[in-house]
Short mmCIF file of all heavy atoms in Angstrom, two decimals:
data_model
loop_
_atom_site.label_atom_id
_atom_site.label_comp_id
_atom_site.label_asym_id
_atom_site.label_seq_id
_atom_site.Cartn_x
_atom_site.Cartn_y
_atom_site.Cartn_z
N SER A 70 62.02 56.06 -10.54
CA SER A 70 62.08 54.96 -11.55
C SER A 70 60.81 54.67 -12.35
O SER A 70 60.66 54.68 -13.51
CB SER A 70 62.64 53.75 -11.02
OG SER A 70 64.05 53.96 -10.56
N THR A 71 59.79 54.44 -11.45
CA THR A 71 58.49 54.11 -12.03
C THR A 71 57.83 55.32 -12.75
O THR A 71 57.20 55.17 -13.89
CB THR A 71 57.49 53.67 -11.02
OG1 THR A 71 58.03 52.52 -10.32
CG2 THR A 71 56.16 53.31 -11.58
N VAL A 72 57.89 56.51 -12.20
CA VAL A 72 57.45 57.75 -12.87
C VAL A 72 58.12 57.95 -14.20
O VAL A 72 57.53 58.29 -15.19
CB VAL A 72 57.72 58.89 -11.89
CG1 VAL A 72 57.09 60.20 -12.68
CG2 VAL A 72 56.90 58.74 -10.69
N PHE A 73 59.52 57.79 -14.21
CA PHE A 73 60.23 57.74 -15.42
C PHE A 73 59.86 56.80 -16.54
O PHE A 73 59.66 57.29 -17.71
CB PHE A 73 61.66 57.65 -15.18
CG PHE A 73 62.56 57.75 -16.43
CD1 PHE A 73 62.97 58.89 -17.03
CD2 PHE A 73 63.13 56.53 -17.05
CE1 PHE A 73 63.63 59.04 -18.14
CE2 PHE A 73 63.85 56.61 -18.20
CZ PHE A 73 64.18 57.80 -18.68
N VAL A 74 59.60 55.59 -16.19
CA VAL A 74 59.01 54.65 -17.06
C VAL A 74 57.73 54.96 -17.68
O VAL A 74 57.45 54.87 -18.84
CB VAL A 74 59.03 53.23 -16.43
CG1 VAL A 74 58.29 52.22 -17.41
CG2 VAL A 74 60.40 52.76 -16.12
N LEU A 75 56.77 55.43 -16.77
CA LEU A 75 55.50 55.89 -17.25
C LEU A 75 55.62 57.06 -18.19
O LEU A 75 54.89 57.11 -19.22
CB LEU A 75 54.60 56.27 -16.02
CG LEU A 75 54.10 55.10 -15.21
CD1 LEU A 75 53.56 55.59 -13.82
CD2 LEU A 75 53.00 54.28 -15.96
N ALA A 76 56.51 58.04 -17.95
CA ALA A 76 56.67 59.15 -18.81
C ALA A 76 57.27 58.77 -20.18
O ALA A 76 56.89 59.28 -21.12
CB ALA A 76 57.52 60.17 -18.07
N ARG A 77 58.24 57.80 -20.08
CA ARG A 77 58.98 57.39 -21.31
C ARG A 77 57.90 56.72 -22.26
O ARG A 77 58.09 56.68 -23.41
CB ARG A 77 60.04 56.43 -20.87
CG ARG A 77 60.98 56.06 -22.05
CD ARG A 77 62.22 56.98 -22.07
NE ARG A 77 63.03 56.72 -23.10
CZ ARG A 77 64.20 56.00 -22.96
NH1 ARG A 77 64.65 55.70 -21.80
NH2 ARG A 77 65.05 55.86 -24.10
N ASN A 78 56.96 56.11 -21.68
CA ASN A 78 55.91 55.43 -22.55
C ASN A 78 54.56 56.13 -22.59
O ASN A 78 53.52 55.53 -22.87
CB ASN A 78 55.75 53.96 -21.86
CG ASN A 78 56.86 53.03 -21.91
OD1 ASN A 78 57.18 52.49 -23.10
ND2 ASN A 78 57.63 52.90 -20.99
N TYR A 79 54.60 57.36 -22.23
CA TYR A 79 53.47 58.21 -22.19
C TYR A 79 52.59 58.18 -23.43
O TYR A 79 51.35 58.13 -23.39
CB TYR A 79 53.78 59.63 -21.72
CG TYR A 79 52.51 60.49 -21.36
CD1 TYR A 79 51.99 60.31 -20.21
CD2 TYR A 79 52.11 61.45 -22.21
CE1 TYR A 79 50.86 61.03 -19.82
CE2 TYR A 79 51.07 62.29 -21.84
CZ TYR A 79 50.42 62.05 -20.61
OH TYR A 79 49.39 62.75 -20.17
N ASN A 80 53.30 58.24 -24.59
CA ASN A 80 52.50 58.21 -25.87
C ASN A 80 51.77 56.88 -26.19
O ASN A 80 50.93 56.87 -27.09
CB ASN A 80 53.45 58.57 -27.03
CG ASN A 80 54.01 59.96 -26.90
OD1 ASN A 80 53.44 60.76 -26.19
ND2 ASN A 80 55.09 60.37 -27.70
N LYS A 81 52.07 55.96 -25.45
CA LYS A 81 51.52 54.48 -25.67
C LYS A 81 50.16 54.35 -24.80
O LYS A 81 49.42 53.41 -25.04
CB LYS A 81 52.54 53.49 -25.28
CG LYS A 81 53.77 53.47 -26.24
CD LYS A 81 54.76 52.43 -25.85
CE LYS A 81 55.98 52.52 -26.60
NZ LYS A 81 57.01 51.45 -26.11
N LEU A 82 50.04 55.21 -23.83
CA LEU A 82 48.89 55.00 -22.98
C LEU A 82 47.70 55.55 -23.53
O LEU A 82 47.66 56.59 -24.15
CB LEU A 82 49.19 55.72 -21.63
CG LEU A 82 50.38 55.47 -20.87
CD1 LEU A 82 50.52 56.28 -19.52
CD2 LEU A 82 50.38 53.95 -20.52
N VAL A 83 46.60 54.80 -23.45
CA VAL A 83 45.24 55.20 -23.88
C VAL A 83 44.38 55.25 -22.69
O VAL A 83 44.04 54.19 -22.06
CB VAL A 83 44.66 54.12 -24.92
CG1 VAL A 83 43.22 54.51 -25.33
CG2 VAL A 83 45.65 54.11 -26.16
N HIS A 84 43.88 56.39 -22.31
CA HIS A 84 43.04 56.57 -21.18
C HIS A 84 41.57 56.41 -21.64
O HIS A 84 41.08 56.88 -22.64
CB HIS A 84 43.10 58.03 -20.65
CG HIS A 84 44.48 58.38 -20.29
ND1 HIS A 84 45.15 57.87 -19.18
CD2 HIS A 84 45.43 59.23 -20.80
CE1 HIS A 84 46.41 58.44 -19.14
NE2 HIS A 84 46.58 59.19 -20.08
N VAL A 85 40.84 55.51 -20.88
CA VAL A 85 39.41 55.26 -21.06
C VAL A 85 38.70 56.27 -20.23
O VAL A 85 38.31 56.15 -19.11
CB VAL A 85 39.01 53.89 -20.59
CG1 VAL A 85 37.51 53.60 -20.86
CG2 VAL A 85 39.91 52.85 -21.31
N TRP A 86 38.41 57.46 -20.87
CA TRP A 86 37.89 58.63 -20.07
C TRP A 86 36.45 58.39 -19.60
O TRP A 86 36.10 58.97 -18.53
CB TRP A 86 38.04 59.83 -20.96
CG TRP A 86 39.45 60.20 -21.09
CD1 TRP A 86 40.16 60.24 -22.28
CD2 TRP A 86 40.33 60.76 -20.13
NE1 TRP A 86 41.45 60.69 -22.09
CE2 TRP A 86 41.61 60.96 -20.77
CE3 TRP A 86 40.21 60.98 -18.73
CZ2 TRP A 86 42.68 61.41 -20.00
CZ3 TRP A 86 41.34 61.42 -18.06
CH2 TRP A 86 42.49 61.64 -18.72
N GLU A 87 35.78 57.51 -20.29
CA GLU A 87 34.34 57.34 -19.78
C GLU A 87 34.42 56.52 -18.47
O GLU A 87 33.67 56.86 -17.56
CB GLU A 87 33.63 56.40 -20.79
CG GLU A 87 33.34 57.11 -22.07
CD GLU A 87 34.53 56.96 -23.13
OE1 GLU A 87 35.48 56.42 -22.67
OE2 GLU A 87 34.39 57.37 -24.24
N SER A 88 35.39 55.66 -18.27
CA SER A 88 35.58 55.06 -16.88
C SER A 88 36.02 56.02 -15.84
O SER A 88 35.40 55.92 -14.74
CB SER A 88 36.56 53.84 -17.07
OG SER A 88 37.89 54.22 -17.31
N VAL A 89 36.98 56.84 -16.22
CA VAL A 89 37.40 57.84 -15.24
C VAL A 89 36.32 58.66 -14.87
O VAL A 89 36.18 59.11 -13.62
CB VAL A 89 38.62 58.62 -15.71
CG1 VAL A 89 39.03 59.68 -14.84
CG2 VAL A 89 39.69 57.65 -16.03
N THR A 90 35.51 59.21 -15.85
CA THR A 90 34.49 60.22 -15.48
C THR A 90 33.39 59.51 -14.66
O THR A 90 33.00 60.12 -13.61
CB THR A 90 33.72 60.57 -16.87
OG1 THR A 90 34.70 61.16 -17.74
CG2 THR A 90 32.55 61.60 -16.60
N ALA A 91 32.94 58.27 -14.96
CA ALA A 91 32.08 57.57 -14.04
C ALA A 91 32.57 57.40 -12.73
O ALA A 91 31.81 57.41 -11.79
CB ALA A 91 31.60 56.27 -14.85
N MET A 92 33.80 57.05 -12.60
CA MET A 92 34.49 56.81 -11.30
C MET A 92 34.44 58.21 -10.45
O MET A 92 34.12 58.15 -9.24
CB MET A 92 35.86 56.30 -11.44
CG MET A 92 36.48 55.76 -10.30
SD MET A 92 35.77 54.12 -9.85
CE MET A 92 36.54 53.94 -8.18
N VAL A 93 34.83 59.21 -11.08
CA VAL A 93 34.93 60.52 -10.39
C VAL A 93 33.50 60.88 -9.83
O VAL A 93 33.33 61.40 -8.81
CB VAL A 93 35.43 61.53 -11.35
CG1 VAL A 93 35.17 62.98 -10.60
CG2 VAL A 93 36.82 61.36 -11.67
N GLU A 94 32.46 60.45 -10.61
CA GLU A 94 31.01 60.84 -10.16
C GLU A 94 30.71 60.07 -8.79
O GLU A 94 29.65 60.51 -8.17
CB GLU A 94 30.10 60.45 -11.20
CG GLU A 94 30.15 61.26 -12.49
CD GLU A 94 29.26 60.88 -13.57
OE1 GLU A 94 28.78 59.74 -13.51
OE2 GLU A 94 29.19 61.64 -14.62
N LEU A 95 31.32 59.09 -8.49
CA LEU A 95 31.11 58.35 -7.21
C LEU A 95 31.90 58.96 -6.05
O LEU A 95 31.80 58.48 -4.95
CB LEU A 95 31.49 56.81 -7.33
CG LEU A 95 30.72 56.08 -8.45
CD1 LEU A 95 31.19 54.56 -8.50
CD2 LEU A 95 29.28 56.14 -8.23
#
Side-chain angles (χ1 to χ4, degrees):
S70 295
T71 299
V72 178
F73 177 77
V74 171
L75 287 167
R77 191 94 182 253
N78 294 279
Y79 191 72
N80 292 344
K81 301 176 184 177
L82 301 180
V83 175
H84 303 289
V85 182
W86 291 110
E87 293 85 359
S88 68
V89 174
T90 301
M92 194 72 191
V93 170
E94 291 174 351
L95 300 180

